Amino acid sequence: MTRISLTVDGVTYEEEVEPRLLLVHLLRDRLGKTGTPIGCDTGNCGACTVILDGRSVKSCSVLAVQADGSDVVTIEGLSGVDGRHPMQEAFHQEHALQCGYCTPGMIMAAIDLLKDDPDPSDEAIRHGLEGNLCRCTGYCNIVRAVRRGAQSMSSPEVVSGI
Amino acid sequence: MTEELDAGFVAKQIADNDMLSEPAPGRHEVGAARKRKEDARLITGRTQWTDNIQLPGMLHVAFLRSPMAHARVTRVDVSAALSMPGVVAAFSGQDFAAEQGSLPCAWPVSEDIVIPEHPPMAVTEVRYAGEAVACVVATDRYKASDALEAIEIDYEPLPAVLDMTEALEEGGPTVHDAGNKAFTWTFSAGDLDAAFRDAPVVIERTFVQQRLIPSAMEPRAVVAQTDGDSFTLHSSTQIPHVLRIMLAQVTGIPEHKLRVVAPDVGGGFGSKLQVTAEEVLLLLLTRRLGKPVKWTESRSEGNLTVHHGRDQLQRLSLAADADGRLRGLKVDLLADMGAYLMLVTPGIPILGAFMFNGIYKMDAYDFMCTGVFTTKMPTDAYRGAGRPEATFAIERLMDELAAELSLDPIEVRRRNWIAHEEFPYTTISNLTYDSGNYEAATDRALALFGYDKLRAEQADRRDRGDPVQLGIGVSTFTEMCGLAPSRVLGSLSYGAGGWEHASVRMLPTGKVEVVTGSTPHGQGHETAWSQIVADALGVPFDDVAVLHGDTAIAHKGMDTYGSRSLAVGGIAVLQACDKVKDKAKNIAAHLLEASADDIEFDGGTFKVRGTEAGTTIQEVALAAFAAHNLPDGVEASLDSDATFDPGNFSFPHGTHLCAIEVDTETGAAKIRSYVAVDDIGKVVNPMIVEGQVHGGLAQGIAQALYEEAVYDSEGNLLTTTMADYLLPSAADLPDFVTDRTETPATSNPLGVKGVGEAGTIASTPAVVNAIVDALRPYGVNDVTMPCTPERIWRAVQGGTA
Ligand code: FES
Ligand code: FES
């Protein structure tokens, strides 16, 4: 067992963990952060994407011990209880989800994508989200949502995104 | 992090959103692109997936699975696992043998069908790689899977049976003692011999429908618990109602002591239309251990053991006149059942039997299907279920016929399709298509696509010998959906009916609860049903709540598959609303001291005809609740139930056109444009409809280009991960151009047809037709799916693939 300390969605946790415990299992099973789902066991689907120290990672591919001392933001920490991050709202407006299983990861990956390219082309969005699979939407509306989210986030009202 | 958020922006978004949810006066909800109610929890991570469930004392289950396709199990010893840390129990198939029963097959399609015993956990023999042979129950999921390694098990290998044609040869190895033939099912109409005799053109082709893995993004998960008397099972399922009945029969738990809940379900596509081994075994485990138990599959486990889709060998002959008019079609199918017949396994190819003639008129049709056992994961419903296979066959054949006669593929279709003035039309396979307009959908698609211009570019590239050739693929499809008239299902030996149930409850404060038996897993029922109810009862969209997915709340239902939710379940909701209105009208008349005959209902208000006097449905709901002043003999409730059973299937159709660039030097194929014009009848929510079309297209295109479940020569699945089984990402798919034409269905009062499967059914042949069209100058007349660059390149080299 290893003692780790990390911040998740603004709350600091101290946990004793097995060295092999995956970050996603720590989040889901121990911290109750079930907003982040698991879609695969090979790091291919992106459903588990969270933001770790400012960049998106697949939380199934990170050990909890590796996140020691880190700051993690999950879909649950993106906005207050009643609020919505512009990217969440964009997914809603553009009907970019059906079952919604891929959605938390997709939203987190989309927010990260905009850090490098705040005004991405459709092509850039499609390539930027290559690591996040969706079985329901055929992606068209996800691309539209990311474009809309990018516009909202770059509008002057938004001081800074995550 | 949160302080970095712009609160002002968020507030503005919410305000905008609130405005959206306020219905404009007089606005019809049905037909409006309402944003979905479901999204609120899905975009914020507050969804209730089955794997989220944590219960006090809950134990975790892991299954040991056969590494062999076919073997006798000679010894299982779980004792070492029992001494591992955290392990509470471990069992082999033998331990369940007396109580586990057999997994059900509800569709014995023929008299000659062989339905083998299908123990949830293998006892003496395994028949596919991945079949469960033992399990461990432990205090956490890591410990449970650790302990699997301590289980000792001996197998005596038996020969794998992998190829359907070989499986049917006499004297070869068998999957079951009764042999490898599961059933034969035939249909014939018209005089096929006459149709083929002296036919000027006969096209013969063999097409392979590869095996697919449905790959819903949410892996299956099951939680079972008992209080010592009754049982609750949470499962990531499409069919809580069907499941409850079936599990009661398999486990012996009385139906009224078993509650089944499908919480939020992350996609299904048919793969969660099943009664699974794990659901049975978890019930048995909680009964045995008295503790809540949970199992969540890993993706690799799921690829092995969630039922697969498609897997047919289609031998086809088409006879036509010299002008391209169809004379007859002969279909000889081998359908791979896998190792066992699961819930509707044998029925899947039979659902296709009525669709091989597509939208065309012909004189004769012969269909024969042989179900074949192999040592692979059983097949069962996957988006389209039988109809994509049939549509692929006929739409590919129409393109082959066009090529043979040097006709434009659109023209050959025009010469054969049912003209719009001929509806209702009874087809050669004896279905009555109630409505449609193939001309309108095709004309619209051709215009959106720029057909003539693309044909000109194609000719130019051919003339220039451009290494990148352009192909144009056509698919003018129809399908039967809205499953289904119960009588028809009965005549096809299906084990249940095809009705759907709904209850509408008026609450004292005027709000409305709708209980639907149609259980969603991403379709948007909560939104669409609210729209229907808002219009029917004249209440605000936001005043409607839709309850579903829990047999203790929605006690009756037939669940969600076969594009049936709206065309059957939505109509049940509408009819329940009608009953509420009738009851309310009676009370309103009493309150208004008028005769019920003089009462009109409009926009939520009951009015006395020709006067200003009126009362709203909300006021009537309160009056019914208070019950102080009701007419004599009238019950104090407006709540109403309805069960709708359609008189016919519905028949969505459409024209899909695909332009694809094929690099003849590398074999790479890239979709340049894709136009889908669908006629799905009336539309409740065009935004949801478009989403369904997009998703369907993605899955159909993926069958054409990317996906295949591959077993090696020993029967081991090679495509167990998402790295091996190629699901398309955003980068692999194009933007789609979608549009609609509209001929209302006549089989239901909303005129709706269904849209869940249309895109998948239509798109696979459109894409393959486009690839073959690009390569015609190279002598290519088929490419086997998935049309990978290697297969395309080989086709170019060899003139065939
Ligand atoms: S669950 Fe992490 S990538 Fe699939
Ligand atoms: S919305 Fe279902 S997987 Fe993306």
Side-chain angles (χ1 to χ4, degrees), chain A residues 20 22 25 28-29 35 39 41 73 78 82-84 88-89 92-93 98-99 126 135-137 139-140 157 160, chain B residues 1 4-6 10 13 35-36 39 43 51-52 54 141-142 146 214 299-300 691 695 699 707 728 730 733:
Chain A
R20 63 175 173 167
L22 299 176
H25 283 144
R28 290 182 56 78
D29 296 349
D41 47 4
V73 182
L78 214 45
D82 295 325
R84 282 182 190 174
Q88 289 173 315
E89 185 57 29
H92 175 59
Q93 292 296 334
Q98 290 178 28
C99 79
R126 286 182 179 275
R135 191 57 158 167
C136 297
T137 64
Y139 302 105
C140 296
E157 291 134 89
S160 75
Chain B
M1 281 329 293
E4 289 181 29
L5 273 175
D6 186 290
V10 170
Q13 294 288 318
K35 303 288 181 281
R36 297 197 321 169
D39 293 358
I43 57 177
D51 183 60
N52 293 4
Q54 306 242 28
R141 60 173 107 217
Y142 284 65
D146 283 350
R299 178 63 57 180
S300 331
Q699 285 183 16
E707 297 180 21
L733 291 170

Short mmCIF file of all heavy atoms in Angstrom, two decimals, chain A residues 20 22 25 28-29 35 39 41 73 78 82-84 88-89 92-93 98-99 126 135-137 139-140 157 160, chain B residues 1 4-6 10 13 35-36 39 43 51-52 54 141-142 146 214 299-300 691 695 699 707 728 730 733:
data_model
loop_
_atom_site.label_atom_id
_atom_site.label_comp_id
_atom_site.label_asym_id
_atom_site.label_seq_id
_atom_site.Cartn_x
_atom_site.Cartn_y
_atom_site.Cartn_z
N ARG A 20 -0.95 -1.05 -7.96
CA ARG A 20 -1.50 -1.34 -9.29
C ARG A 20 -2.87 -0.69 -9.53
O ARG A 20 -3.42 -0.83 -10.61
CB ARG A 20 -1.64 -2.84 -9.46
CG ARG A 20 -2.63 -3.45 -8.46
CD ARG A 20 -2.85 -4.90 -8.73
NE ARG A 20 -3.65 -5.51 -7.69
CZ ARG A 20 -4.20 -6.70 -7.81
NH1 ARG A 20 -3.99 -7.41 -8.91
NH2 ARG A 20 -4.92 -7.20 -6.83
N LEU A 22 -5.70 1.44 -10.72
CA LEU A 22 -5.81 2.42 -11.79
C LEU A 22 -6.48 3.69 -11.26
O LEU A 22 -7.38 3.62 -10.42
CB LEU A 22 -6.63 1.86 -12.95
CG LEU A 22 -6.07 0.61 -13.63
CD1 LEU A 22 -7.04 0.11 -14.70
CD2 LEU A 22 -4.70 0.89 -14.25
N HIS A 25 -10.21 3.57 -11.39
CA HIS A 25 -10.86 2.80 -10.33
C HIS A 25 -10.84 3.56 -9.00
O HIS A 25 -11.78 3.47 -8.22
CB HIS A 25 -10.22 1.41 -10.18
CG HIS A 25 -10.65 0.46 -11.26
ND1 HIS A 25 -9.80 -0.48 -11.81
CD2 HIS A 25 -11.82 0.32 -11.92
CE1 HIS A 25 -10.46 -1.17 -12.74
NE2 HIS A 25 -11.68 -0.69 -12.82
N ARG A 28 -13.67 6.08 -9.44
CA ARG A 28 -15.02 5.51 -9.45
C ARG A 28 -15.37 4.77 -8.17
O ARG A 28 -16.42 4.98 -7.57
CB ARG A 28 -15.17 4.54 -10.64
CG ARG A 28 -15.21 5.22 -12.01
CD ARG A 28 -15.41 4.19 -13.10
NE ARG A 28 -16.61 3.40 -12.85
CZ ARG A 28 -17.84 3.83 -13.09
NH1 ARG A 28 -18.03 5.02 -13.62
NH2 ARG A 28 -18.88 3.07 -12.81
N ASP A 29 -14.48 3.85 -7.81
CA ASP A 29 -14.83 2.93 -6.73
C ASP A 29 -14.56 3.50 -5.34
O ASP A 29 -15.24 3.17 -4.37
CB ASP A 29 -14.07 1.61 -6.89
CG ASP A 29 -14.44 0.87 -8.17
OD1 ASP A 29 -15.44 1.28 -8.80
OD2 ASP A 29 -13.74 -0.08 -8.54
N GLY A 35 -18.95 9.75 -12.54
CA GLY A 35 -19.19 10.46 -13.80
C GLY A 35 -18.22 10.06 -14.89
O GLY A 35 -18.49 10.25 -16.07
N GLY A 39 -14.71 2.27 -20.72
CA GLY A 39 -15.25 1.62 -21.92
C GLY A 39 -14.39 0.51 -22.46
O GLY A 39 -14.82 -0.25 -23.33
N ASP A 41 -10.34 -1.90 -21.89
CA ASP A 41 -9.22 -2.24 -21.00
C ASP A 41 -7.89 -2.13 -21.73
O ASP A 41 -6.90 -2.72 -21.32
CB ASP A 41 -9.42 -3.64 -20.40
CG ASP A 41 -9.81 -4.67 -21.44
OD1 ASP A 41 -9.84 -4.34 -22.63
OD2 ASP A 41 -10.08 -5.83 -21.05
N VAL A 73 -9.25 16.96 -12.77
CA VAL A 73 -10.61 17.48 -13.00
C VAL A 73 -11.37 16.44 -13.81
O VAL A 73 -10.90 15.98 -14.85
CB VAL A 73 -10.59 18.81 -13.76
CG1 VAL A 73 -12.02 19.33 -13.92
CG2 VAL A 73 -9.75 19.83 -13.03
N LEU A 78 -16.31 20.08 -13.75
CA LEU A 78 -16.20 21.06 -14.82
C LEU A 78 -17.01 22.32 -14.55
O LEU A 78 -16.71 23.38 -15.03
CB LEU A 78 -16.70 20.39 -16.11
CG LEU A 78 -16.05 20.74 -17.43
CD1 LEU A 78 -14.55 20.77 -17.30
CD2 LEU A 78 -16.49 19.73 -18.47
N ASP A 82 -25.15 23.59 -10.53
CA ASP A 82 -26.19 24.03 -11.44
C ASP A 82 -25.65 24.53 -12.77
O ASP A 82 -26.40 24.73 -13.71
CB ASP A 82 -27.00 25.17 -10.80
CG ASP A 82 -27.74 24.66 -9.58
OD1 ASP A 82 -28.17 23.50 -9.62
OD2 ASP A 82 -27.86 25.42 -8.61
N GLY A 83 -24.38 24.76 -12.83
CA GLY A 83 -23.82 25.38 -14.02
C GLY A 83 -23.43 24.37 -15.08
O GLY A 83 -23.47 23.16 -14.86
N ARG A 84 -23.11 24.92 -16.21
CA ARG A 84 -22.58 24.09 -17.28
C ARG A 84 -21.40 24.78 -17.91
O ARG A 84 -21.45 25.99 -18.17
CB ARG A 84 -23.63 23.87 -18.36
CG ARG A 84 -24.66 22.85 -17.99
CD ARG A 84 -25.64 22.64 -19.13
NE ARG A 84 -26.74 21.83 -18.64
CZ ARG A 84 -27.83 21.55 -19.36
NH1 ARG A 84 -27.95 22.01 -20.59
NH2 ARG A 84 -28.77 20.81 -18.86
N GLN A 88 -19.98 21.61 -22.29
CA GLN A 88 -21.14 20.77 -21.93
C GLN A 88 -22.40 21.30 -22.61
O GLN A 88 -23.18 20.56 -23.19
CB GLN A 88 -21.34 20.78 -20.41
CG GLN A 88 -20.26 20.00 -19.67
CD GLN A 88 -20.38 20.16 -18.16
OE1 GLN A 88 -20.57 21.27 -17.66
NE2 GLN A 88 -20.25 19.05 -17.44
N GLU A 89 -22.56 22.62 -22.55
CA GLU A 89 -23.73 23.22 -23.16
C GLU A 89 -23.73 23.01 -24.67
O GLU A 89 -24.77 22.74 -25.28
CB GLU A 89 -23.75 24.72 -22.81
CG GLU A 89 -24.98 25.45 -23.27
CD GLU A 89 -26.29 24.87 -22.72
OE1 GLU A 89 -26.28 24.30 -21.61
OE2 GLU A 89 -27.31 24.98 -23.42
N HIS A 92 -24.97 19.66 -25.55
CA HIS A 92 -26.43 19.62 -25.42
C HIS A 92 -27.09 20.29 -26.63
O HIS A 92 -27.99 19.72 -27.25
CB HIS A 92 -26.83 20.33 -24.12
CG HIS A 92 -28.30 20.48 -23.90
ND1 HIS A 92 -29.16 19.41 -23.84
CD2 HIS A 92 -29.06 21.59 -23.73
CE1 HIS A 92 -30.39 19.86 -23.64
NE2 HIS A 92 -30.36 21.17 -23.58
N GLN A 93 -26.63 21.46 -26.96
CA GLN A 93 -27.26 22.22 -28.05
C GLN A 93 -27.14 21.51 -29.39
O GLN A 93 -28.03 21.58 -30.22
CB GLN A 93 -26.64 23.63 -28.14
CG GLN A 93 -26.96 24.52 -26.95
CD GLN A 93 -28.44 24.84 -26.82
OE1 GLN A 93 -29.18 24.82 -27.80
NE2 GLN A 93 -28.90 25.11 -25.60
N GLN A 98 -25.95 10.54 -27.54
CA GLN A 98 -27.18 9.75 -27.49
C GLN A 98 -27.21 8.98 -26.17
O GLN A 98 -27.84 9.41 -25.22
CB GLN A 98 -27.29 8.86 -28.74
CG GLN A 98 -27.56 9.74 -29.98
CD GLN A 98 -27.62 8.97 -31.27
OE1 GLN A 98 -27.98 7.81 -31.33
NE2 GLN A 98 -27.26 9.64 -32.37
N CYS A 99 -26.48 7.86 -26.10
CA CYS A 99 -26.47 7.16 -24.81
C CYS A 99 -25.66 7.92 -23.77
O CYS A 99 -25.84 7.74 -22.58
CB CYS A 99 -25.94 5.74 -24.96
SG CYS A 99 -24.15 5.61 -25.08
N ARG A 126 -11.71 16.32 -35.88
CA ARG A 126 -11.82 14.88 -36.12
C ARG A 126 -10.52 14.16 -35.74
O ARG A 126 -10.55 13.12 -35.09
CB ARG A 126 -12.20 14.59 -37.57
CG ARG A 126 -13.67 14.90 -37.86
CD ARG A 126 -14.08 14.57 -39.29
NE ARG A 126 -15.49 14.86 -39.51
CZ ARG A 126 -16.49 14.02 -39.23
NH1 ARG A 126 -16.24 12.82 -38.75
NH2 ARG A 126 -17.75 14.37 -39.43
N ARG A 135 -20.05 5.22 -30.25
CA ARG A 135 -20.72 4.23 -31.08
C ARG A 135 -22.09 4.71 -31.52
O ARG A 135 -22.73 4.07 -32.32
CB ARG A 135 -20.85 2.92 -30.27
CG ARG A 135 -21.28 1.71 -31.06
CD ARG A 135 -20.38 1.40 -32.23
NE ARG A 135 -20.48 0.00 -32.65
CZ ARG A 135 -19.99 -0.47 -33.80
NH1 ARG A 135 -19.35 0.34 -34.63
NH2 ARG A 135 -20.10 -1.75 -34.10
N CYS A 136 -22.55 5.83 -30.95
CA CYS A 136 -23.94 6.23 -31.20
C CYS A 136 -24.11 7.32 -32.25
O CYS A 136 -25.07 7.29 -33.00
CB CYS A 136 -24.59 6.76 -29.92
SG CYS A 136 -24.74 5.56 -28.60
N THR A 137 -23.24 8.31 -32.26
CA THR A 137 -23.59 9.56 -32.96
C THR A 137 -23.06 9.68 -34.37
O THR A 137 -23.49 10.58 -35.10
CB THR A 137 -23.01 10.78 -32.21
OG1 THR A 137 -21.57 10.66 -32.23
CG2 THR A 137 -23.49 10.83 -30.77
N TYR A 139 -20.42 10.94 -35.00
CA TYR A 139 -19.47 12.03 -34.78
C TYR A 139 -19.84 13.39 -35.38
O TYR A 139 -19.27 14.41 -34.98
CB TYR A 139 -18.05 11.66 -35.27
CG TYR A 139 -17.47 10.43 -34.62
CD1 TYR A 139 -17.39 9.23 -35.31
CD2 TYR A 139 -17.02 10.46 -33.31
CE1 TYR A 139 -16.86 8.09 -34.73
CE2 TYR A 139 -16.48 9.33 -32.71
CZ TYR A 139 -16.41 8.15 -33.43
OH TYR A 139 -15.89 7.02 -32.84
N CYS A 140 -20.75 13.45 -36.37
CA CYS A 140 -21.02 14.76 -37.02
C CYS A 140 -21.39 15.81 -35.99
O CYS A 140 -20.87 16.93 -36.03
CB CYS A 140 -22.17 14.64 -38.02
SG CYS A 140 -21.82 13.56 -39.37
N GLU A 157 -16.85 36.99 -23.19
CA GLU A 157 -17.43 36.80 -21.85
C GLU A 157 -16.68 35.74 -21.04
O GLU A 157 -16.74 35.70 -19.84
CB GLU A 157 -18.88 36.35 -21.95
CG GLU A 157 -19.81 37.41 -22.47
CD GLU A 157 -20.74 36.83 -23.52
OE1 GLU A 157 -21.82 36.34 -23.14
OE2 GLU A 157 -20.37 36.82 -24.70
N SER A 160 -11.51 32.53 -18.92
CA SER A 160 -10.64 31.40 -19.26
C SER A 160 -11.39 30.11 -19.05
O SER A 160 -12.23 30.01 -18.16
CB SER A 160 -9.38 31.42 -18.39
OG SER A 160 -9.70 30.99 -17.10
N MET B 1 -10.18 24.61 -9.56
CA MET B 1 -10.57 24.69 -10.96
C MET B 1 -11.81 25.57 -11.14
O MET B 1 -11.90 26.32 -12.08
CB MET B 1 -10.96 23.31 -11.49
CG MET B 1 -9.87 22.38 -11.86
SD MET B 1 -8.34 23.01 -12.48
CE MET B 1 -8.81 23.71 -14.02
N GLU B 4 -11.94 29.15 -12.05
CA GLU B 4 -11.57 29.56 -13.41
C GLU B 4 -12.77 29.63 -14.34
O GLU B 4 -12.68 30.10 -15.45
CB GLU B 4 -10.55 28.57 -13.98
CG GLU B 4 -9.20 28.69 -13.30
CD GLU B 4 -8.21 27.72 -13.89
OE1 GLU B 4 -8.34 27.40 -15.07
OE2 GLU B 4 -7.33 27.29 -13.14
N LEU B 5 -13.88 29.11 -13.89
CA LEU B 5 -15.06 29.13 -14.74
C LEU B 5 -15.64 30.52 -14.82
O LEU B 5 -15.58 31.28 -13.87
CB LEU B 5 -16.14 28.23 -14.14
CG LEU B 5 -16.06 26.79 -14.53
CD1 LEU B 5 -17.11 26.05 -13.75
CD2 LEU B 5 -16.30 26.64 -16.01
N ASP B 6 -16.23 30.81 -15.95
CA ASP B 6 -16.88 32.09 -16.07
C ASP B 6 -18.35 31.95 -15.69
O ASP B 6 -19.16 31.43 -16.44
CB ASP B 6 -16.76 32.60 -17.50
CG ASP B 6 -17.30 34.01 -17.61
OD1 ASP B 6 -18.53 34.16 -17.51
OD2 ASP B 6 -16.49 34.92 -17.75
N VAL B 10 -21.88 30.82 -17.88
CA VAL B 10 -22.72 29.68 -17.52
C VAL B 10 -24.15 30.12 -17.28
O VAL B 10 -25.09 29.53 -17.77
CB VAL B 10 -22.13 28.96 -16.30
CG1 VAL B 10 -23.09 27.92 -15.77
CG2 VAL B 10 -20.79 28.32 -16.65
N GLN B 13 -25.91 30.78 -20.46
CA GLN B 13 -26.29 29.54 -21.14
C GLN B 13 -27.56 28.95 -20.52
O GLN B 13 -28.43 28.48 -21.23
CB GLN B 13 -25.16 28.50 -21.04
CG GLN B 13 -23.92 28.89 -21.79
CD GLN B 13 -24.10 28.79 -23.29
OE1 GLN B 13 -24.71 27.84 -23.78
NE2 GLN B 13 -23.62 29.76 -24.03
N LYS B 35 -34.46 20.12 -27.61
CA LYS B 35 -33.22 19.60 -27.02
C LYS B 35 -33.59 18.56 -25.96
O LYS B 35 -34.64 18.66 -25.33
CB LYS B 35 -32.43 20.75 -26.37
CG LYS B 35 -32.10 21.88 -27.32
CD LYS B 35 -31.04 21.48 -28.32
CE LYS B 35 -30.68 22.61 -29.26
NZ LYS B 35 -31.66 22.81 -30.34
N ARG B 36 -32.71 17.61 -25.77
CA ARG B 36 -33.12 16.45 -24.97
C ARG B 36 -33.07 16.69 -23.46
O ARG B 36 -32.12 17.25 -22.92
CB ARG B 36 -32.21 15.26 -25.29
CG ARG B 36 -32.32 14.80 -26.71
CD ARG B 36 -31.76 13.41 -26.88
NE ARG B 36 -30.57 13.20 -26.08
CZ ARG B 36 -30.02 12.01 -25.89
NH1 ARG B 36 -30.56 10.93 -26.42
NH2 ARG B 36 -28.93 11.88 -25.17
N ASP B 39 -30.10 14.89 -21.50
CA ASP B 39 -28.73 15.39 -21.52
C ASP B 39 -28.25 15.93 -20.19
O ASP B 39 -27.07 15.85 -19.87
CB ASP B 39 -28.58 16.50 -22.57
CG ASP B 39 -28.76 15.98 -24.00
OD1 ASP B 39 -28.96 14.77 -24.16
OD2 ASP B 39 -28.70 16.80 -24.93
N ILE B 43 -24.37 14.95 -19.59
CA ILE B 43 -23.23 15.83 -19.85
C ILE B 43 -22.54 16.29 -18.58
O ILE B 43 -21.48 16.90 -18.64
CB ILE B 43 -23.64 17.09 -20.68
CG1 ILE B 43 -24.73 17.87 -19.98
CG2 ILE B 43 -24.05 16.70 -22.10
CD1 ILE B 43 -25.12 19.16 -20.69
N ASP B 51 -22.67 -0.08 -13.44
CA ASP B 51 -21.40 -0.27 -12.73
C ASP B 51 -21.19 0.77 -11.63
O ASP B 51 -20.31 0.61 -10.78
CB ASP B 51 -20.23 -0.22 -13.73
CG ASP B 51 -18.90 -0.48 -13.04
OD1 ASP B 51 -18.75 -1.58 -12.47
OD2 ASP B 51 -18.03 0.42 -13.04
N ASN B 52 -22.00 1.84 -11.63
CA ASN B 52 -21.86 2.83 -10.55
C ASN B 52 -22.37 2.32 -9.22
O ASN B 52 -22.07 2.90 -8.18
CB ASN B 52 -22.68 4.09 -10.88
CG ASN B 52 -22.15 4.84 -12.07
OD1 ASN B 52 -21.21 4.41 -12.72
ND2 ASN B 52 -22.78 5.95 -12.38
N GLN B 54 -23.02 0.82 -5.82
CA GLN B 54 -22.24 0.29 -4.70
C GLN B 54 -23.24 0.03 -3.58
O GLN B 54 -23.98 0.94 -3.22
CB GLN B 54 -21.24 1.33 -4.20
CG GLN B 54 -20.34 1.88 -5.27
CD GLN B 54 -18.89 1.59 -5.00
OE1 GLN B 54 -18.57 0.58 -4.36
NE2 GLN B 54 -18.01 2.44 -5.47
N ARG B 141 -12.92 -6.08 -7.04
CA ARG B 141 -12.80 -6.64 -8.39
C ARG B 141 -11.39 -7.13 -8.69
O ARG B 141 -11.20 -8.07 -9.44
CB ARG B 141 -13.30 -5.66 -9.45
CG ARG B 141 -12.62 -4.34 -9.52
CD ARG B 141 -13.12 -3.55 -10.73
NE ARG B 141 -14.00 -2.44 -10.37
CZ ARG B 141 -15.07 -2.08 -11.09
NH1 ARG B 141 -15.38 -2.73 -12.17
NH2 ARG B 141 -15.80 -1.07 -10.72
N TYR B 142 -10.38 -6.48 -8.09
CA TYR B 142 -9.00 -6.91 -8.34
C TYR B 142 -8.78 -8.29 -7.72
O TYR B 142 -8.18 -9.16 -8.33
CB TYR B 142 -8.01 -5.90 -7.74
CG TYR B 142 -7.86 -4.62 -8.54
CD1 TYR B 142 -8.92 -3.74 -8.70
CD2 TYR B 142 -6.63 -4.28 -9.11
CE1 TYR B 142 -8.78 -2.56 -9.42
CE2 TYR B 142 -6.48 -3.09 -9.84
CZ TYR B 142 -7.55 -2.25 -9.98
OH TYR B 142 -7.41 -1.08 -10.69
N ASP B 146 -7.73 -11.73 -9.54
CA ASP B 146 -6.48 -12.41 -9.12
C ASP B 146 -6.72 -13.89 -8.87
O ASP B 146 -5.93 -14.75 -9.25
CB ASP B 146 -5.96 -11.82 -7.80
CG ASP B 146 -5.28 -10.48 -7.98
OD1 ASP B 146 -5.06 -10.10 -9.15
OD2 ASP B 146 -5.01 -9.82 -6.97
N PRO B 214 -21.06 -5.99 -31.78
CA PRO B 214 -21.90 -4.79 -31.67
C PRO B 214 -21.23 -3.60 -30.97
O PRO B 214 -21.43 -2.46 -31.37
CB PRO B 214 -23.12 -5.29 -30.90
CG PRO B 214 -23.20 -6.74 -31.26
CD PRO B 214 -21.77 -7.20 -31.34
N ARG B 299 -13.76 -4.99 -21.62
CA ARG B 299 -14.03 -4.97 -23.05
C ARG B 299 -13.59 -6.28 -23.71
O ARG B 299 -14.28 -6.81 -24.58
CB ARG B 299 -13.32 -3.78 -23.70
CG ARG B 299 -13.48 -3.67 -25.20
CD ARG B 299 -14.91 -3.47 -25.65
NE ARG B 299 -15.53 -2.31 -25.06
CZ ARG B 299 -16.79 -1.93 -25.30
NH1 ARG B 299 -17.56 -2.61 -26.13
NH2 ARG B 299 -17.30 -0.88 -24.70
N SER B 300 -12.44 -6.80 -23.31
CA SER B 300 -11.96 -8.03 -23.95
C SER B 300 -12.91 -9.19 -23.65
O SER B 300 -13.18 -10.03 -24.50
CB SER B 300 -10.57 -8.41 -23.45
OG SER B 300 -9.85 -7.28 -23.08
N GLY B 691 -29.83 12.46 -35.59
CA GLY B 691 -28.81 11.77 -34.81
C GLY B 691 -28.86 10.26 -35.02
O GLY B 691 -27.83 9.60 -35.16
N GLY B 695 -25.79 7.99 -36.62
CA GLY B 695 -25.20 6.85 -35.93
C GLY B 695 -25.38 5.56 -36.71
O GLY B 695 -24.50 4.71 -36.75
N GLN B 699 -22.42 2.95 -38.35
CA GLN B 699 -22.29 1.50 -38.14
C GLN B 699 -22.37 0.73 -39.45
O GLN B 699 -21.68 -0.27 -39.63
CB GLN B 699 -23.36 1.02 -37.15
CG GLN B 699 -22.98 1.43 -35.74
CD GLN B 699 -23.95 0.95 -34.67
OE1 GLN B 699 -24.76 0.07 -34.90
NE2 GLN B 699 -23.85 1.54 -33.51
N GLU B 707 -14.99 -3.22 -39.90
CA GLU B 707 -15.16 -4.16 -38.79
C GLU B 707 -15.23 -5.62 -39.23
O GLU B 707 -15.88 -5.95 -40.22
CB GLU B 707 -16.44 -3.82 -38.01
CG GLU B 707 -16.38 -2.45 -37.36
CD GLU B 707 -17.65 -2.11 -36.59
OE1 GLU B 707 -18.39 -3.03 -36.23
OE2 GLU B 707 -17.87 -0.91 -36.37
N PRO B 728 -14.77 2.72 -36.07
CA PRO B 728 -14.33 3.98 -36.66
C PRO B 728 -14.29 5.11 -35.65
O PRO B 728 -15.15 5.21 -34.78
CB PRO B 728 -15.38 4.25 -37.75
CG PRO B 728 -16.56 3.42 -37.39
CD PRO B 728 -16.06 2.25 -36.61
N ALA B 730 -13.70 9.49 -35.20
CA ALA B 730 -14.16 10.68 -35.94
C ALA B 730 -13.34 10.89 -37.21
O ALA B 730 -13.84 11.37 -38.22
CB ALA B 730 -14.08 11.91 -35.04
N LEU B 733 -14.55 8.87 -40.51
CA LEU B 733 -15.88 9.02 -41.11
C LEU B 733 -16.05 10.42 -41.68
O LEU B 733 -15.47 11.37 -41.19
CB LEU B 733 -16.97 8.75 -40.05
CG LEU B 733 -17.07 7.30 -39.57
CD1 LEU B 733 -17.98 7.21 -38.36
CD2 LEU B 733 -17.57 6.39 -40.69
#
